[in-house]
Amino acid sequence: MRTRPLNVALLGCGVVGSEVARIMTTNAEDLEQRIGAPIRLAGIAVRRLNKQRDLPVDASLFTTDAHELVARGDIDVVVEVIGGIEPARSLLLKAMENGASVVTANKALLAEDGATLHAAAEKHGVDLYFEASVAGAIPLLRPLRESLAGDKVHRVLGIVNGTTNYILTRMDETGAGFEEALEEATALGYAEADPTADIEGFDAAAKAAILAGLAFHTRVTAADVHREGITEVTAADVASAKDMGCVVKLLAICERDGDAVSARVHPAMIPRTHPLASVREAFNAVFVESEAAGQLMFYGRGAGGAPTASAVLGDLVAVCRNKLQNAKGPGESAYAQLRVKPMGEIVTRYHISLDVADKPGVLAQVANVFAEHGVSIQVVRQEGRGEDAQLVIVTHTAPDAALAATVNELRRQDVVREVTSTMRVEGESGA
Amino acid sequence: MRTRPLNVALLGCGVVGSEVARIMTTNAEDLEQRIGAPIRLAGIAVRRLNKQRDLPVDASLFTTDAHELVARGDIDVVVEVIGGIEPARSLLLKAMENGASVVTANKALLAEDGATLHAAAEKHGVDLYFEASVAGAIPLLRPLRESLAGDKVHRVLGIVNGTTNYILTRMDETGAGFEEALEEATALGYAEADPTADIEGFDAAAKAAILAGLAFHTRVTAADVHREGITEVTAADVASAKDMGCVVKLLAICERDGDAVSARVHPAMIPRTHPLASVREAFNAVFVESEAAGQLMFYGRGAGGAPTASAVLGDLVAVCRNKLQNAKGPGESAYAQLRVKPMGEIVTRYHISLDVADKPGVLAQVANVFAEHGVSIQVVRQEGRGEDAQLVIVTHTAPDAALAATVNELRRQDVVREVTSTMRVEGESGA
């Protein structure tokens, strides 16, 4: 076994990067034992050299020239925690060209252009590991890539965004509206100043693309993922869910249906008895259904400096071990290349609330709209009378396009004053 | 990449083995893609050749001579699902001597003599994988061994035996006594005809030893694990737990405390808000607390043919990939060799119920017993009067030896008619 230390270059020294540097330094002895050789921080690329950093690392390690760092030639592993598409992509491609393995937490890059990165890793015989890109500290990608490698995954159902789960938890537990809950999340640091990526579902959609790719051995990009955020979820929706014994969650759902797959992110009602229902506040959890293993769930912190650093370090140990043996971990597995279904073809169930006129024949007219679109009704409940008359309808499963067309048609009915809530229902055994 | 298929020998063809053979055959194409080479069943060692087996494999593969099979010389991987210490140990040692990597589900063997197996794997440069030995289908050992390799695990708290969890769930949900719940579990196939290994905690203790070893990089054997089963858990204990907002679970608890570790299995009360509390029936779940990652939980089916086979197949893919690259996965990590603490030194909390005489000074006398042993009382509640007078006491944390001595001393007090229930309390943030 060689004795020279493995050189690690760190790109980015923010919340996650500084935790990585700190743990690499303070746990150096343990890491050496677990890897079989010492590792050392060979350089840290940052934007500003003169920023105050309370880190136990030599000041001479910092550089603003990330491109020079990754091309130095003596770097064994590059850890990338800067995020975003560029310059991260160019840096990682250059690093791999120079023989370095890569550990990255960059979900946006992997979801947009994972194929290019995987191809470069393959070409240059290096590793590309990215456990930290989905659900932070939760060991999830390694189980999907390796533990379930002999199994067939049917479905992945995940709460993969802590900000939106915090907001929805508050709405469920306090009856707050979306805006109020968002304000609270911002005040507590659970939501960023510009929360768009979280509340509009972009963050979850990138993760859904990565999960679907791993689960189904098929290339799935963020553009393939149907995406709806939680900004339209109202206190009334949450109350309706409660009436049904459900809770509203923003779910990332990846499914295999024969020779096609799908990936989508949207709010949905799930039964309170479902294991995901009790995942509260900023926690993440991913529920996996596979042929042999059955139901599995992985739960933990999905974000934050230390949790994300834990996932990065786990990957770092693995790629360093591989380096020492001139071996490679599992590369991209996209052999199946199944068709990715558009949202309209995906089979779902809807929960619909309608304000209706209180006159005879309303129910018949409404039911007729469903029938015309081939959508079967499971439950219909009339609430209130006169001005307050409400119909709550839960459908059986149908293609999403048919359900969406039904809702549009309902909006055009004279007896329907307003479609007050539409939400998909997931996680039921009958679904 | 070599083109000859990798030869797999299967030892045992019972509930798990036949599922392994079935999946290897029906998913052969997927497995080849994931491994990078075809794998084929080269032989299946069974006890009786003429047993009726509904498996899609050639009858000529079956043999009763397992020793001949593992020593054949052309076997790349041996999958062992026969269980027990011998002949499993001899077979696996011979297999490794002959250059085969090993995948095993044998918790008893690993917990009793893992060191011998690990040493053989190291000596012969082969892999020893055992994901299926703990918590069946749940990817748990790989995350501990690899994903958390850069982190520091403080505590592992697991429900790792489905039989006892089923029994305790029924006791909690129906108020049944232990015997009644056991009968139901037996009738439903959740308990074996001889349930000793499950209900006395032997099965969970073997798993605790394996988990502690991986979590703390220290050799821990089944003999190091303090073990109490659930046969003494009464309906009254379960009711007391309910009154406290708790539920009774059989827990495997592995803890690190400075430079010492501990592993124990016993029934304990945990708060209903703890993520483990909602793990019902025969499901398993393992809760991990680590320095950087924080709280993680892994949930799924802990037993059964297909779930266990899923874990075996995941390992099989990994060791086959390693074989193709002449690489080795992580071996035994026992570099820390921390001291294993005996139960008496472990700091716990007790919940104690006493039938007491209804006369002045009882509480003072009882409180004095606690004080004499240096045990601090957190809550004391008096229930009933006269003949029915009951004291319920919850302690602060103290060494288990002091708590046990306190209970013994209480039994000797004239004012104490009976110590009706003693149970440890776990999973509280204050604990």
Side-chain angles (χ1 to χ4, degrees), chain A residues 19 22-23 26-27 29-31 33-34 131 137-140 142-143 145-152 215 217 256 275 278 283 287 290-301 306-311 313-315 317-318 321-322 325-331 333 335-336, chain B residues 19 22-23 26-27 29-31 33-34 131 137-140 142-143 145-152 215 217 256 275 278 283 287 290-301 306-311 313-315 317-318 321-322 325-331 333 335-336:
Chain A
E19 271 303 310
R22 196 186 59 72
I23 298 174
T26 55
N27 288 8
E29 263 179 66
D30 281 325
L31 291 168
Q33 290 288 348
R34 295 172 196 179
E131 180 71 68
I138 310 175
L140 177 64
R142 183 170 280 105
R145 256 177 142 182
E146 303 178 36
S147 306
L148 292 173
D151 204 338
K152 268 194 180 161
H217 306 274
R256 177 170 181 166
S278 53
F283 275 90
F287 192 77
S290 76
E291 189 164 282
Q295 301 181 332
L296 300 170
M297 192 170 79
F298 304 83
Y299 166 95
R301 296 209 173 267
T308 309
S310 170
L313 268 290
D315 279 356
V317 169
R321 293 192 76 261
N322 289 342
Q325 300 186 84
N326 290 315
K328 247 178 66 83
S333 180
Y335 68 87
Chain B
E19 271 304 310
R22 197 187 59 71
I23 298 175
T26 55
N27 288 7
E29 264 180 65
D30 281 324
L31 292 168
Q33 290 288 346
R34 294 171 197 180
E131 180 70 68
I138 310 175
L140 176 64
R142 183 170 280 107
R145 255 177 143 181
E146 303 179 36
S147 308
L148 293 172
D151 204 340
K152 269 193 181 164
H217 305 274
R256 176 170 182 163
S278 52
F283 274 91
F287 192 76
S290 76
E291 188 165 283
Q295 302 181 331
L296 300 170
M297 192 171 78
F298 305 81
Y299 167 96
R301 294 207 175 272
T308 310
S310 170
L313 267 291
D315 278 357
V317 169
R321 294 190 76 262
N322 289 342
Q325 301 185 84
N326 290 315
K328 248 177 67 82
S333 180
Y335 68 88

Side-chain angles (χ1 to χ4, degrees), chain A residues 44-354:
Chain A
I44 305 175
V46 292
R47 236 178 304 187
R48 290 182 300 123
L49 279 185
N50 52 354
K51 189 175 156 190
Q52 188 67 35
R53 292 185 178 87
D54 184 21
L55 277 179
V57 298
D58 198 297
S60 68
L61 292 178
F62 292 96
T63 170
T64 54
D65 194 343
H67 283 275
E68 195 266 347
L69 177 59
V70 299
R72 243 167 61 172
D74 67 336
I75 302 296
D76 295 290
V77 184
V78 169
V79 173
E80 184 264 313
V81 287
I82 47 182
I85 308 300
E86 283 296 347
R89 175 168 48 197
S90 310
L91 289 167
L92 294 186
L93 291 175
K94 191 182 277 190
M96 293 193 273
E97 230 170 80
N98 281 277
S101 284
V102 164
V103 174
T104 174
N106 195 327
K107 59 189 169 274
L109 176 55
L110 282 158
E112 173 153 324
D113 196 15
T116 301
L117 295 181
H118 282 297
E122 182 67 29
K123 181 176 169 194
H124 301 295
V126 296
D127 275 331
L128 170 63
Y129 274 52
F130 46 100
E131 180 71 68
S133 66
V134 181
I138 310 175
L140 177 64
L141 305 195
R142 183 170 280 105
L144 273 180
R145 256 177 142 182
E146 303 178 36
S147 306
L148 292 173
D151 204 338
K152 268 194 180 161
V153 175
H154 295 313
R155 179 141 69 153
V156 178
L157 214 61
I159 295 171
V160 293
N161 181 274
T163 305
T164 48
N165 201 52
Y166 183 85
I167 292 170
L168 292 172
T169 302
R170 297 307 290 167
M171 290 176 73
D172 180 59
E173 293 181 359
T174 70
F178 170 75
E179 288 300 338
E180 190 188 334
L182 171 60
E183 269 169 40
E184 193 185 326
T186 311
L188 290 168
Y190 288 126
E192 293 181 44
D194 176 0
T196 311
D198 294 317
I199 63 177
E200 296 291 2
F202 289 100
D203 174 83
K207 293 163 177 171
I210 296 170
L211 288 173
L214 291 176
F216 307 128
H217 306 274
T218 291
R219 238 167 238 163
V220 179
T221 69
D224 296 321
V225 181
H226 173 84
R227 177 191 52 75
E228 297 171 34
I230 64 163
T231 54
E232 315 270 291
V233 176
T234 64
D237 292 333
V238 172
S240 289
K242 260 190 187 157
D243 286 344
M244 278 189 55
C246 286
V247 57
V248 177
K249 294 290 187 188
L250 181 69
L251 296 181
I253 304 173
C254 310
E255 283 174 313
R256 177 170 181 166
D257 176 16
D259 282 338
V261 300
S262 61
R264 53 192 160 116
V265 167
H266 56 71
M269 295 182 181
I270 56 170
R272 279 184 193 268
T273 51
H274 193 283
L276 286 175
S278 53
V279 177
R280 296 175 61 248
E281 306 203 326
F283 275 90
N284 281 199
V286 177
F287 192 77
V288 177
E289 294 171 30
S290 76
E291 189 164 282
Q295 301 181 332
L296 300 170
M297 192 170 79
F298 304 83
Y299 166 95
R301 296 209 173 267
T308 309
S310 170
V312 167
L313 268 290
D315 279 356
L316 183 61
V317 169
V319 304
C320 286
R321 293 192 76 261
N322 289 342
K323 274 270 169 196
L324 286 175
Q325 300 186 84
N326 290 315
K328 247 178 66 83
E332 183 184 30
S333 180
Y335 68 87
Q337 281 307 72
L338 302 170
R339 183 175 74 90
V340 182
K341 285 204 278 193
M343 189 64 201
E345 285 182 33
I346 297 172
V347 166
T348 63
R349 295 173 66 205
Y350 272 29
H351 173 280
I352 303 163
S353 303
L354 307 171

Side-chain angles (χ1 to χ4, degrees), chain B residues 127-430:
Chain B
D127 274 330
L128 172 63
Y129 275 51
F130 46 100
E131 180 70 68
S133 66
V134 182
I138 310 175
L140 176 64
L141 304 195
R142 183 170 280 107
L144 273 179
R145 255 177 143 181
E146 303 179 36
S147 308
L148 293 172
D151 204 340
K152 269 193 181 164
V153 175
H154 294 313
R155 177 140 70 152
V156 178
L157 214 61
I159 295 171
V160 294
N161 180 273
T163 305
T164 48
N165 201 53
Y166 183 85
I167 292 170
L168 292 171
T169 302
R170 297 306 290 166
M171 290 176 73
D172 180 60
E173 294 180 359
T174 70
F178 170 75
E179 289 299 339
E180 189 187 336
L182 171 59
E183 269 171 38
E184 192 185 327
T186 310
L188 289 167
Y190 288 125
E192 293 181 44
D194 175 0
T196 312
D198 295 316
I199 62 177
E200 295 291 2
F202 291 99
D203 174 84
K207 293 164 178 171
I210 297 171
L211 288 173
L214 291 176
F216 307 129
H217 305 274
T218 291
R219 240 169 237 165
V220 180
T221 70
D224 296 321
V225 181
H226 173 85
R227 179 192 52 75
E228 297 171 34
I230 63 163
T231 54
E232 315 269 291
V233 177
T234 63
D237 292 333
V238 173
S240 287
K242 259 190 187 156
D243 286 344
M244 277 188 55
C246 285
V247 58
V248 176
K249 295 290 186 188
L250 180 69
L251 296 181
I253 305 174
C254 310
E255 284 174 312
R256 176 170 182 163
D257 175 18
D259 283 337
V261 301
S262 61
R264 51 190 160 119
V265 167
H266 55 70
M269 295 182 180
I270 56 169
R272 281 184 192 269
T273 51
H274 194 284
L276 286 176
S278 52
V279 176
R280 296 175 61 247
E281 307 204 327
F283 274 91
N284 281 200
V286 177
F287 192 76
V288 178
E289 294 172 30
S290 76
E291 188 165 283
Q295 302 181 331
L296 300 170
M297 192 171 78
F298 305 81
Y299 167 96
R301 294 207 175 272
T308 310
S310 170
V312 167
L313 267 291
D315 278 357
L316 183 60
V317 169
V319 303
C320 285
R321 294 190 76 262
N322 289 342
K323 274 270 170 196
L324 287 175
Q325 301 185 84
N326 290 315
K328 248 177 67 82
E332 183 183 32
S333 180
Y335 68 88
Q337 281 306 75
L338 302 170
R339 182 175 75 91
V340 181
K341 286 204 277 193
M343 188 65 201
E345 285 183 35
I346 297 173
V347 166
T348 64
R349 296 173 65 204
Y350 272 29
H351 172 280
I352 303 164
S353 303
L354 306 172
D355 268 352
V356 290
D358 181 31
K359 54 182 182 185
V362 169
L363 182 55
Q365 191 176 330
V366 165
N368 196 43
V369 174
F370 283 83
E372 277 168 3
H373 290 86
V375 173
S376 161
I377 290 173
Q378 188 197 25
V379 179
V380 58
R381 204 171 65 229
Q382 180 149 8
E383 283 169 2
R385 310 255 355 217
E387 290 301 301
D388 292 328
Q390 273 255 336
L391 280 184
V392 175
I393 295 157
V394 183
T395 72
H396 281 293
T397 56
D400 201 78
L403 289 159
T406 306
V407 172
N408 279 337
E409 181 73 27
L410 287 171
R411 289 209 170 93
R412 285 196 289 270
Q413 302 298 304
D414 56 350
V415 298
V416 174
R417 288 208 194 90
E418 196 191 346
V419 176
T420 50
S421 160
T422 312
M423 197 170 292
R424 298 185 186 90
V425 183
E426 297 287 340
E428 294 190 304
S429 31

